[in-house]
Amino acid sequence: MKEYHQYPMWDASLSLEERLDDLITRLTTEEKIRLIPTREAAVPRLGIPAYNVGGEAAHGVAWKGEATVFPQPLGLSSTWNTRLMREIGSVIGDEARAYHHRDPEVHGLTLWAPTVDLERDPRWGRTEEGYGEDPVLTGEMSAALVKGMQGNDPFYLKMVATLKHFFANNNEKDRLNCSSSIDPRNLREYYLKAFETPFVEGGALSMMTAYNSINGTPAIESPYVNDVVKGEWSMPGFIVCDGGDLSQTVDYHGYHTSHAESAAGALKAGVDCLTDEVDLVVSALEEALGRDLLEVADLDRAIRNIFGVRMRLGQLDQSGRNPYASIPESVLCAPEHAKLSYRAAAESIVLLKNDGLLPLQPEALQKISVIGPLADVVYTDWYSGTLPYRVSILDGLRNRLPEADVTYADGNDRISLKTSDGQVITLGAEGTLAAVPESSAPAAQFVHQDWGWGSHTLRSVNNNRYVSLTEQGIYQANAPEIGGWFVKEVVQFDPQTDGSNTLRTWNSIPVGLSEYQGRSVLIPIPPQTEQATGTTLDDNGDSGRTSQLPSNISEFATFEIDIVTHGIEQAVEAARHSQASVVVVGNSPYINGKEEIDRPSLLLPPDQVELVKAVCEANPNTVVVIMGSYPFALQELKDIARAIVYMTHAGQELGNALSDVLLGHYAPAGRLNMTWYEDESQLPDMMDYDIIQNDMTYMYHDGPVQYAFGHGLTYSEFEYEAIRVSRDTTAEATTDQLKIEVEVYNKGKRDSDEVVQIYGSAHTSRVKRAQKQLLAFRRVHVKAGARITVRFEVPVQKLALWDVTRDRYCLETATWAILAGRSSADIRQSADIEIEGETIPDRPLHLLTFAENYDACAGVLLDECLEGRSAVRAITREEPLYRDGQSSWISFNHNAVQELHGFEARVAAFGEAGILEIRSGGLEGDLLGVCDVSGPGGSVNGKDIKWTTIQCSLEAPHKVNELYIIFKGGAALRHFRLL
């Protein structure tokens, strides 16, 4: 036995706290520092192995090799099936263990998934990673996944789920330096609610902070980590920051001037593990300790949290009790895992529209055409695992229809390229794109895919490889698929007035021709100052290493596009001679919407729209399949297609699952987890996170939509025949809860799943409430002709709002409608119930009132105060949400104060001096007083803002029921009271 095995830290019979106490006392300060980076160092003298925190598992274990791949998280959420999620989580845990056993120091067990942050805006580039727009659906589905991932042993963990990204991280543009403005009601009733469930009910033991700031404070130092996650929710695990965020807090947010300050701020705010370069983290922590920015006790607290998890994973353990230590490598890609992947894909499919066309009758199908650019592909995304195999929709239909004639046309043009001086582009050695005289060789042909908004891909007809920019800085047809952090398979076409085109790279660098190894090849044109050095461009468009490229590069090159075959014509011909057509359109997870890139539009690419219209016109029996990572605005397509099916990129069994739905072997029952809006005009600015005032998501949006949250059809007809609602407040009840029963009748001729959705709607409230809010849901299987009773128990606390007048949740006395239906817009049964709670009293504005606790606002942001809570200030001209002529104000309603004589406030000047106008009843109401806020204010994130207390007199009527505070200039307000 090793000497260290005798230490209490290695004794699994002791309590976890005793073992951690022993560990902490034995570590030196230098050893403690080296356990804070995500690549945690070994401590050989104590037997502690090196450990790698991190890795991805969004829909299967990723980046390690072949593993079972499930549908994208948006698709998993479309199943509305928590039991399925738990099974998927368990498979992810098993396969993570298998890789861990293979190389424990490389393949860790603390993986970064699921993404719980709510998807309030479908334009977000990372929509594929989340679980939708509703906190109840997101919370329960992610909690179920977490339970499966972490296992059901009372002590040992199969793996650990790291929830991300905390929080309000729904924009990719400026994500490294922007700030999301979140008021207390949005915070408590929406953004935090999704995270609460996987922590409190799911038992998640890790979390990742986001890149953005929240109310002016970088998320890596958010007070909500300590106050809410570790405080209110008592999360006993560890917190990790997002990749590189230690340095980005300095370099992008400008919040600190040194990495030592950044490291100290993060650890004191509750982050335990820093995701950045090891040497940077170590040096920053050493400096922070040397400058007394940190104490060793801060390191001890973080290490306790980290090793509390590592010990439960079975590390530092000789007992042999860990039930997950024996999971064999044979579980990787096991047949039963493939079956679960199929089931997940099938359950995720949403039937958006069906005008009697589906299901197709396989026995009557002699000829069917499968059409479209996504019909014979299975795409993965950045956080996907490596597919062990792939079944496309074309494959699936051919598998299921062995006797039928299944024809295929991708709908893409085949093109060739010719230079303006008459040379043609050919494929040379290794697929290099070279220009040669037209008489010397035939032009190469490419499959041209127009993804819209300037993004194109070219795939060689000769070798079936995508044209991509290589590390040598030349273009070759050598990429087997589109992918990578930098998507170098994308080429941008710029039409010219003479009908020719210029080309640009994926990052907008012009493409020209140059001599390379004796041939004239396509390459990016470096900036003029670099042409003489023969340098290439790195991933960010900056000059990189010196290459073999000479400097005699033309300033630009223009190309003529010759269409060899017209893709839509071929598609129409295939559709016209078929009994039925299936046209598959959608997105690539790497183009026009991904991490770092928000979507340019909710629409499908124009070329795909034209393809669908042409095929539907040629064959009315056309099923439109949308395979995409987010909701789309379908515009006219929803009216011309008889049947529309939606699914995300669904993994290895995609084609088999979709084929079984189309052919009626499986009745679809997936439901939308996001509102499908009619167009972008229904959405506010991308940076506006106030869903309540902006009427965002199904909860508040009162305009028309294309498809509602929760929508999804099936092949059978369901009726909801009765609903019964009661409140259980008996002594035997463990919690105050609503008991809800609804009878569901499958009156059709097919067995089918049904997703029963329970919503609540308050008839009255002191404040603006959601029109509907999801309270509970369940996916059930109902045989044809059968009736079942579905029962729910809903904590009454789910009806509570966040009372900004008292800083706590409040269950109001009100009449509530409890609604049961097939979607948020398809309510079949309802029952009213009187909820006895409390009445929110009038505001006591003579007491200290925080500015952030307003009732309504316009033209303001919440920003950092440094004295606790958030300050309110006007949006400045340089900020995204600024509008010319804006009014900046907050209001406080239902006030109890009578005799008003003065106004006292804690204020600061942000950038410049300003004033606060105090008015009664509205922006043009009686002016009660004006308070000067002197300046200049200095920097904001530099923290040299000076907060002062001011007073001004008020000329007020007997009572001011609605108090308005109007911000002008740089005036910022933390709190106030009326005198």
Side-chain angles (χ1 to χ4, degrees), residues 378-551:
V378 179
Y379 287 140
T380 56
D381 55 47
W382 178 249
Y383 291 113
S384 174
T386 302
L387 292 163
Y389 61 89
R390 59 186 73 200
V391 181
S392 70
I393 293 174
L394 176 63
D395 296 331
L397 285 168
R398 284 177 172 167
N399 293 342
R400 299 304 194 252
L401 296 170
E403 304 301 322
D405 180 5
V406 182
T407 61
Y408 168 61
D410 63 17
N412 291 322
D413 293 340
R414 270 62 178 168
I415 68 168
S416 60
L417 298 175
K418 182 185 297 184
T419 67
S420 56
D421 61 359
Q423 298 187 90
V424 295
I425 302 301
T426 63
L427 254 60
E430 300 179 325
T432 299
L433 271 60
V436 301
E438 188 171 8
S439 59
S440 65
Q445 290 187 27
F446 303 97
V447 178
H448 171 222
Q449 175 88 42
D450 184 348
W451 295 98
W453 302 281
S455 297
H456 302 254
T457 54
L458 299 173
R459 181 163 46 87
S460 168
V461 172
N462 181 51
N463 66 9
N464 202 35
R465 290 290 191 267
Y466 285 96
V467 171
S468 184
L469 185 61
T470 68
E471 292 183 2
Q472 291 73 36
I474 63 174
Y475 273 103
Q476 291 181 336
N478 66 350
E481 55 189 7
I482 305 166
W485 180 261
F486 301 104
V487 189
K488 299 180 181 181
E489 293 73 47
V490 168
V491 180
Q492 301 177 30
F493 283 18
D494 292 328
Q496 305 298 302
T497 56
D498 62 358
S500 65
N501 285 266
T502 58
L503 304 184
R504 286 179 290 134
T505 64
W506 62 277
N507 56 347
S508 298
I509 307 299
V511 173
L513 293 169
S514 177
E515 292 298 315
Y516 177 77
Q517 296 184 348
R519 308 199 75 182
S520 180
V521 300
L522 266 67
I523 68 164
I525 302 174
Q528 189 69 35
T529 57
E530 295 174 356
Q531 290 190 24
T533 64
T535 56
T536 59
L537 302 176
D538 70 5
D539 290 334
N540 296 310
D542 299 320
S543 59
R545 66 199 175 286
T546 302
S547 74
Q548 303 174 55
L549 298 179
S551 59

Side-chain angles (χ1 to χ4, degrees), residues 870-897:
S870 295
V872 178
R873 63 170 177 84
I875 302 170
T876 65
R877 185 174 295 275
E878 297 77 22
E879 292 173 315
L881 297 181
Y882 178 83
R883 298 293 178 266
D884 288 338
Q886 70 177 21
S887 295
S888 300
W889 56 268
I890 55 177
S891 69
F892 300 82
N893 306 329
H894 306 288
N895 301 318
V897 175

Side-chain angles (χ1 to χ4, degrees), residues 10 188 230 313 342 438 448 482 494 515 541 556 574 610 685 777 789 809 850 891 930-931 953 961 964:
W10 280 86
R188 292 287 186 165
K230 291 184 173 181
L313 285 167
Y342 165 85
E438 188 171 8
H448 171 222
I482 305 166
D494 292 328
E515 292 298 315
F556 64 88
E610 293 307 308
D685 189 284
F777 61 92
T789 299
Y809 285 106
F850 291 104
S891 69
V930 175
C931 291
S953 61
N961 189 53
Y964 278 70

Side-chain angles (χ1 to χ4, degrees), residues 63-206:
W63 301 1
K64 300 181 185 299
E66 288 186 356
T68 304
V69 178
F70 297 96
Q72 292 176 305
L74 195 71
L76 293 178
S77 181
S78 297
T79 69
W80 291 57
N81 189 339
T82 55
R83 289 169 294 181
L84 173 67
M85 291 298 291
R86 191 160 184 168
E87 292 180 53
I88 291 170
S90 183
V91 166
I92 293 172
D94 286 346
E95 297 198 354
R97 274 280 170 181
Y99 271 110
H100 180 68
H101 296 333
R102 182 178 294 177
D103 194 338
E105 293 190 3
V106 173
H107 302 305
L109 292 169
T110 45
L111 302 185
W112 295 338
T115 295
V116 180
D117 200 13
L118 286 166
E119 302 183 302
R120 44 98 207 182
D121 195 314
R123 295 169 295 188
W124 185 34
R126 299 179 72 173
T127 296
E128 67 199 27
E129 296 180 38
Y131 287 75
E133 69 185 26
D134 181 77
V136 171
L137 178 65
T138 294
E140 293 194 16
M141 294 291 280
S142 57
L145 187 76
V146 168
K147 289 177 182 178
M149 294 167 81
Q150 296 189 166
N152 54 13
D153 188 87
F155 178 79
Y156 290 102
L157 300 164
K158 185 184 291 188
M159 63 168 288
V160 169
T162 298
L163 311 185
K164 60 182 191 178
H165 309 84
F166 191 75
F167 60 96
N169 184 217
N170 289 152
N171 57 282
E172 295 305 293
K173 185 179 184 296
D174 298 327
R175 66 177 183 154
L176 301 182
N177 59 3
C178 69
S179 180
S180 305
S181 182
I182 314 290
D183 67 65
R185 282 198 61 210
N186 278 280
L187 174 82
R188 292 287 186 165
E189 296 176 22
Y190 189 68
Y191 291 102
L192 291 184
K193 277 296 179 187
F195 282 91
E196 182 176 6
T197 305
F199 277 130
V200 176
E201 298 179 17
L205 288 169
S206 183

Side-chain angles (χ1 to χ4, degrees), residues 29 67 239 299 320 451 464 472 493 588 651 695 716 951:
T29 299
I239 308 295
L299 301 179
W451 295 98
N464 202 35
Q472 291 73 36
F493 283 18
S588 160
D695 297 330
S716 204
Q951 287 187 358

